[in-house]
Amino acid sequence: MRLILTLVALASAAPASAQNLSAPLPPTILWHGASERLVAAPADPWITPAEARNFDETPSYAATRGYIDRLVAASPLLRIEPFGRTPQGRELYAVRAAKPGSRAKPVLLAQGGIHSGEIDGKDAGLMLLRDIALRGKDRLLDNADLLFVPIFNADGHERASAFNRPNQRGPRIQGWRTTAQNLNLNRDYLKADTPEMKAMIGLLRKVRPALYLDLHVTDGTDYQYDITFMFPGWDGRYAHSPAIGRWLDRSYRPAVTAALARAGHVPGPYVDAVDGRDPAKGVRLGADQPRYSTGYADLARIPSVLVETHSLKPYRQRVLGTYVLVEESLRLVGAEGARIAAAIAADRASRPRTEIVSWKAAPKPLFVIPDFKGVAYETYKSAASGGPEVRFLGRPIVQGMPVLGQIPDTVVTLPAAWWVPATKPEIIALLRVHGIAFETLAQPRTLTLDMVRVAGPKLGAANEGHVPLSAEGYIHARRQETFPIGSVRVPSGQPLGLLAAAMLEPESPDSLLAWNFYPEILQRTEYIEGYAIAPLADRMLAADPKLRREFEAKLQADPKFAADPDARLGWFYERTPYYDERFLLYPVGRELKR
Ligand SMILES: [Zn+2]
């Protein structure tokens, strides 16, 4: 972030050549590995565009499709499956690699370029598709299909520049993080605002992948790991889908780690430095909310892995690491398809009674990684920042690294069902997008439900196209409510019950309420004139000694209130039946279990 701000400031202060503005990065660590043998020879007619440019460049959307079309024309194993369209009109497509035959096989869905500047997955996938189609790796398809999305954020991919990713070592021209609507697809899984995400969720529901890989590149502090990955369930922690989490932790993690090590890479866990200026302080390992691919997939019962190559490693090394990871993932999906299917079935059949909807920092480190593969660094005084800054030295070190984890913060007991009124069609449409089951009322229904009033609402800073809502509290109370025709009852006892809870429980930090999908409840309507409320208030004071004591206490405690006639009358208005009784009332009801 600091580097980005610096560039903007320089650019606006005085025109400068691009050369002067390239961000100086820490030294690289020299690398060679067995995976280098995967790179095609210069004269190879099937050399991919990135290989042909020695991984200095990555092909455009059109050039990527051009290479894929050529491969598809040359191989009966490949075909293109369009699944949507971007706001700027680009086709979203996947390439399916499959052997002919009627038997349904488990599918590996590998997604490149959700953040399109982080494009390693695309160029790794082109090489792997070539090697499957034409170079003898078709045995990978004996027991599994590969569904490969080269560029998920296709519009962002074409907002290409040499200045999009200052912390990243290649390719030279990179795509942009957000979509043409300036939305971050890896914050959009649950709320699904974008056509791209609606399309991807449609693809996930159609394909039901045995494994879903989300391929990224991470910035952050320097370390030796060139490829890192993470999933809920790592070290047995944080998984809402425990059977899936166990398979990922006990089968996937060791197999992929070993394959990467054999190929000469340095795999590690995807972690986040607690303090970028003091890397020794520790790293974070935590649960992801369902705005992210991993948090979403965990609630949707989809085995999913977040892959993050390290931005300071050269592009060639990162692409090769991604290739090895995707190849090994495909081999594993083929070899363990039945076990993965059993884990998915177990988690889909489970009917949890509670859900941890938010987490907080654990008071002390969970454990220490004794042999964390770090990089030596020193600090120096920066004239620009005015304080100490870190300078990485490109020399491997081994350090003990504390891992800071999380503990449950808010745990909700799930109701038997949620009731969403027909007056919120956009919420019902979103339930449908996600494939959440519900019944639709053919007749109005009146019933007594647990309903929630938002206490002390606060609007946050604009975030991902929304102005999020937080609150001092959520007040639950029984209430009789009539739901019109077209309202829906969403049972919690269904495979996606936890996902429904994350969307509909008001305490969930990624709920649609928290994203402020119900801004209408924040506005009070109707009012009462002073000539009507003043005599009514006087009568209330005279008739109710308890109310009088409350009012007097308020006058004592709040001189500003005492001096404000409208505020005083408003205080009484709130306590009359004329007051807008739906003000701050969350319209989704909770049907409690008997
Ligand atoms: Zn990313």
Side-chain angles (χ1 to χ4, degrees), residues 114-115 118 177 216-217 308:
I114 187 171
H115 294 146
E118 309 169 12
R177 184 175 184 78
H216 292 247
V217 181
E308 299 268 6

Side-chain angles (χ1 to χ4, degrees), residues 484-541:
I485 293 176
S487 300
V488 303
R489 178 183 185 271
V490 186
S492 64
Q494 60 169 303
L496 299 184
L498 290 184
L499 180 61
M503 295 171 78
L504 299 174
E505 283 292 306
E507 286 89 350
S508 161
D510 259 5
S511 73
L512 299 175
L513 178 66
W515 281 112
N516 203 0
F517 275 68
Y518 307 83
E520 69 278 7
I521 69 170
L522 304 178
Q523 187 176 11
R524 186 168 64 76
T525 51
E526 278 298 355
Y527 66 100
I528 190 165
E529 294 288 4
Y531 56 72
I533 184 66
L536 177 59
D538 289 340
R539 249 170 41 209
M540 289 162 72
L541 269 181

Side-chain angles (χ1 to χ4, degrees), residues 257-375:
T257 301
L260 284 163
R262 278 196 306 274
H265 292 275
V266 192
Y270 172 61
V271 287
D272 201 17
V274 172
D275 181 352
R277 289 193 170 85
D278 186 0
K281 265 194 192 162
V283 292
R284 273 191 213 97
L285 175 63
D288 279 337
Q289 284 296 328
R291 67 184 64 187
Y292 300 99
S293 61
T294 35
Y296 176 79
D298 187 27
L299 295 176
R301 315 307 196 180
I302 301 167
S304 172
V305 178
L306 171 72
V307 179
E308 299 268 6
T309 61
H310 188 233
S311 66
L312 293 175
K313 308 299 180 279
Y315 190 51
R316 180 173 181 271
Q317 181 181 352
R318 290 175 3 229
V319 170
L320 294 176
T322 305
Y323 179 116
V324 172
L325 182 142
V326 176
E327 181 184 15
E328 178 63 11
S329 299
L330 183 56
R331 192 196 64 74
L332 267 176
V333 166
E336 305 213 5
R339 288 182 61 198
I340 301 170
I344 294 172
D347 286 330
R348 284 179 66 88
S350 73
R351 295 290 180 263
R353 291 165 166 273
T354 60
E355 178 169 348
I356 302 163
V357 294
S358 67
W359 304 77
K360 59 187 175 189
K364 55 183 183 13
L366 296 172
F367 57 93
V368 174
I369 301 173
D371 52 355
F372 187 85
K373 292 174 177 166
V375 167

Side-chain angles (χ1 to χ4, degrees), residues 26-67:
T28 45
I29 303 170
L30 187 68
W31 176 83
H32 286 292
S35 63
E36 289 177 290
R37 291 198 290 269
L38 297 166
V39 179
D44 189 323
W46 288 103
I47 194 165
T48 65
E51 290 171 306
R53 306 303 295 263
N54 200 24
F55 296 93
D56 186 42
E57 287 180 17
T58 190
S60 68
Y61 175 87
T64 301
R65 181 61 180 259
Y67 182 83

Side-chain angles (χ1 to χ4, degrees), residues 15 102 139 164 191 193-194 242 254 320 335 396 420 524 549 575 589:
S102 56
R139 67 186 183 285
N164 283 353
K191 62 185 176 61
D193 287 320
T194 60
L320 294 176
V420 182
R524 186 168 64 76
R549 283 195 299 277
R575 286 158 177 77

